[in-house]
């Protein structure tokens, strides 16, 4: 049985007659952010042998390519939520996304394993800023609890889709070049 969609409730204090902006762009940005964060955590696994062939390095260096992203994603995550609350979700999301995209381009252009690891650290930091901001975007765009719950479900599907697509997409892109796995997020 389909659930009826209720119109967005106006936050207290907004004048009646003023139309609310569509929440769809905020949801699209939030889903995109969660998708690329999750995708980038998974897509690199498949490319590690190609990265080693091209840039050298042993298991420890390749482990830093993987774990550097995760470490810099997890460590500042709580502080990033506070940053999002302090400067605003849109500004925090934009800053995190810009850092993530710039770091992705640096990863794709890396000529040494050390540069790749450093760029992966920056990618993780950008992801850490984006994730709580993406949830805050949803909170701000959907004042109604029922609609917010639906939007959060759609947001979660973005991460689930990236989890499923990551290894397959990583394998396909690695056939072209391992660098393509990083440039795909720059598009």
């Amino acid at each position: 049985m389909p659930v009826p969609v209720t119109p967005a409730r106006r936050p207290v204090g907004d004048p009646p007659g003023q139309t609310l902006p569509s929440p769809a762009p905020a949801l699209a940005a939030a889903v995109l952010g969660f998708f690329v964060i999750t995708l980038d955590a998974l897509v690199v696994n498949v490319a590690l042998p190609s990265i080693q062939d091209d840039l050298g390095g042993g298991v420890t260096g390749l482990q830093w390519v993987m774990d550097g992203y995760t470490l810099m994603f997890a460590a500042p995550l709580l502080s990033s939520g506070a940053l999002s609350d302090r400067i605003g979700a849109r500004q925090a999301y934009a800053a995190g996304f810009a850092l993530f995209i710039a770091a992705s381009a640096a990863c794709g252009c890396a000529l040494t394993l050390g540069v790749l690891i450093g760029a992966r650290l920056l990618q993780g930091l950008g992801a850490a800023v984006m994730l709580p901001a993406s949830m805050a975007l949803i909170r701000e765009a959907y004042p109604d609890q029922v609609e917010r719950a639906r939007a959060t479900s759609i947001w979660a599907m973005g991460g689930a889709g990236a989890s499923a697509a990551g290894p397959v997409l990583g394998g396909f892109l690695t056939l072209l070049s391992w660098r393509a796995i990083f440039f795909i997020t720059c598009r």
Side-chain angles (χ1 to χ4, degrees):
M1 177 176 179
V3 178
V5 178
T6 59
R9 293 185 186 157
R10 185 170 311 286
V12 176
D14 279 358
Q18 177 184 355
T19 58
L20 295 174
S22 172
L27 179 59
V31 170
L32 175 66
F34 193 32
F35 183 86
V36 297
I37 288 168
T38 307
L39 182 72
D40 223 65
L42 298 170
V43 76
V44 176
N45 285 336
V46 181
L48 289 176
S50 297
I51 292 171
Q52 186 175 27
D53 290 344
D54 194 21
L55 300 181
V59 173
T60 304
L62 295 175
Q63 188 172 1
W64 270 106
V65 170
M66 289 300 306
D67 294 344
Y69 177 86
T70 308
L71 177 67
M72 285 304 292
F73 173 66
L77 199 55
L78 291 175
S79 300
S80 297
L83 175 71
S84 177
D85 290 342
R86 181 171 301 257
I87 68 170
R90 288 181 185 164
Q91 290 80 4
Y93 183 87
F97 199 74
L99 178 59
F100 187 87
I101 295 300
S104 294
C107 286
C109 294
L111 298 177
T112 66
L113 194 59
V115 171
L116 178 59
I117 292 168
R120 287 286 287 169
L121 292 170
L122 290 175
Q123 254 188 333
L125 182 60
V129 173
M130 277 181 9
L131 186 68
S134 71
M135 287 301 295
L137 286 174
I138 291 172
R139 182 191 69 227
E140 291 174 3
Y142 293 90
D144 181 65
Q145 290 180 353
V146 173
E147 289 182 12
R148 187 179 320 129
R150 287 186 189 128
T152 303
S153 299
I154 293 168
W155 175 85
M157 285 191 299
S163 295
V168 175
L169 184 60
F172 174 73
L173 292 173
T174 302
L175 292 174
L176 303 171
S177 168
W178 66 265
R179 296 175 188 282
I181 65 171
F182 296 111
F183 290 134
I184 194 74
T185 56
C186 295
R187 301 242 174 230

